[in-house]
Amino acid sequence: MEMTEMNKGILFIISGPAGSGKGTVVRELISSHSDIKLSVSATTRSPRPGEENGVHYHFITKDEFERRIKNGEILEYTTYCENYYGTPLKEVNEALERGNDIILEIEVDGAMQVKKKIENSVTIMLTPPDSVTLENRLRSRGTETDEVIKWRLERAKEEIRLLPDYDYSVINEDGMSDKCAEQIYGIICAEHKRTLHTRDIIKKFI
Ligand code: 5GP
């Protein structure tokens, strides 16, 4: 079958600060829509308990990460807490060519790099409803010192300031991650109806 704009997938980038609940929302979205793929990033950080290589991340060494950057195998990357995080180019291209939509769950730096490199990619920022909820969420993890929480809170506010650079924003209210996932699915459906992706319809009439 000839590949047309109609059956190519679209790349969606979902970013959100710590406390936005993006991990839960993205998992929800993927589990209820199996044709949407989630890109598995490469990272040099160590796996956390329960994380599997190739599922949550491709866990690789710093040398290997730098080799992949040099070889042009990484679409975008950033350093976060002294570790590299990056998106493998091949996986993204393959999903799009197969006609699958693909989601990158990445931080703001990487999001802006991809937006510039991949034409028609769509950026979505997920935010908590307000700063009180944000702080409550960061504190409720109970694993971090006051100083770290303060740092994360400041960083979260800096990231949210970049909201106007995104195409869409969605608010993730407490206990409403399923509703939030469906709102993102609504954006995905709407993007497919843009005439940019549907213009082949004309061929059926002329
Ligand atoms: P964590 O260590 O908590 O899994 O991730 C830390 C941060 O890195 C999160 O904000 C996450 O969205 C971001 N991240 C994960 N993978 C990538 C990636 O491939 N590229 C970029 N730019 N950020 C990533």
Side-chain angles (χ1 to χ4, degrees):
M1 186 176 59
E2 193 193 353
M3 184 61 80
T4 67
E5 280 176 324
M6 278 227 283
N7 53 25
K8 265 195 177 170
I10 303 175
L11 183 136
F12 293 89
I13 303 151
I14 301 184
S15 301
S20 62
K22 62 182 185 295
T24 312
V25 169
V26 168
R27 272 199 307 276
E28 199 118 12
L29 177 68
I30 301 298
S31 69
S32 44
H33 303 283
S34 59
D35 50 329
I36 302 173
K37 301 294 168 203
L38 179 63
S39 160
V40 179
S41 294
T43 185
T44 58
R45 87 148 159 77
S46 317
R48 294 183 186 131
E51 283 185 336
E52 267 180 69
N53 190 28
V55 177
H56 298 90
Y57 281 104
H58 300 289
F59 294 101
I60 61 176
T61 61
K62 188 166 177 259
D63 282 352
E64 175 59 13
F65 201 104
E66 288 173 349
R67 190 194 65 74
R68 291 187 192 185
I69 295 172
K70 242 193 211 152
N71 280 0
E73 295 171 32
I74 302 282
L75 170 62
E76 63 69 39
Y77 70 95
T78 195
T79 46
Y80 185 94
C81 289
E82 295 175 2
N83 283 303
Y84 280 124
Y85 290 82
T87 304
L89 180 62
K90 192 162 168 255
E91 281 180 29
V92 169
N93 281 341
E94 284 175 356
L96 295 177
E97 286 301 319
R98 269 199 315 269
N100 285 122
D101 289 337
I102 186 156
I103 294 196
L104 312 188
E105 190 222 302
I106 61 178
E107 51 69 63
V108 288
D109 253 10
M112 292 304 123
Q113 290 177 50
V114 178
K115 181 83 192 155
K116 280 193 201 127
K117 281 189 183 166
I118 305 232
E119 210 185 355
N120 308 322
S121 53
V122 180
T123 49
I124 303 169
M125 179 177 276
L126 206 59
T127 68
D130 50 61
S131 62
V132 175
T133 312
L134 170 64
E135 189 162 351
N136 286 343
R137 286 183 191 174
L138 292 180
R139 289 193 186 283
S140 71
R141 291 177 178 175
T143 50
E144 286 145 345
T145 61
D146 252 19
E147 200 183 341
V148 172
I149 291 170
K150 234 173 143 191
W151 180 85
R152 282 178 167 272
L153 200 54
E154 282 317 303
R155 174 149 179 149
K157 287 178 180 174
E158 271 170 35
E159 291 182 4
I160 292 171
R161 242 181 240 132
L162 297 175
L163 185 142
D165 295 339
Y166 279 69
D167 299 314
Y168 294 93
S169 70
V170 177
I171 297 171
N172 186 20
E173 305 274 355
D174 278 348
M176 305 290 267
S177 57
D178 52 344
K179 186 178 158 213
C180 188
E182 280 317 297
Q183 284 183 4
I184 293 177
Y185 188 63
I187 293 171
I188 292 174
C189 292
E191 280 295 322
H192 276 277
K193 299 294 180 205
R194 288 171 71 103
T195 53
L196 163 76
H197 301 292
T198 58
R199 57 189 54 166
D200 279 10
I201 290 170
I202 300 171
K203 287 185 190 159
K204 293 183 183 170
F205 298 91
I206 51 176

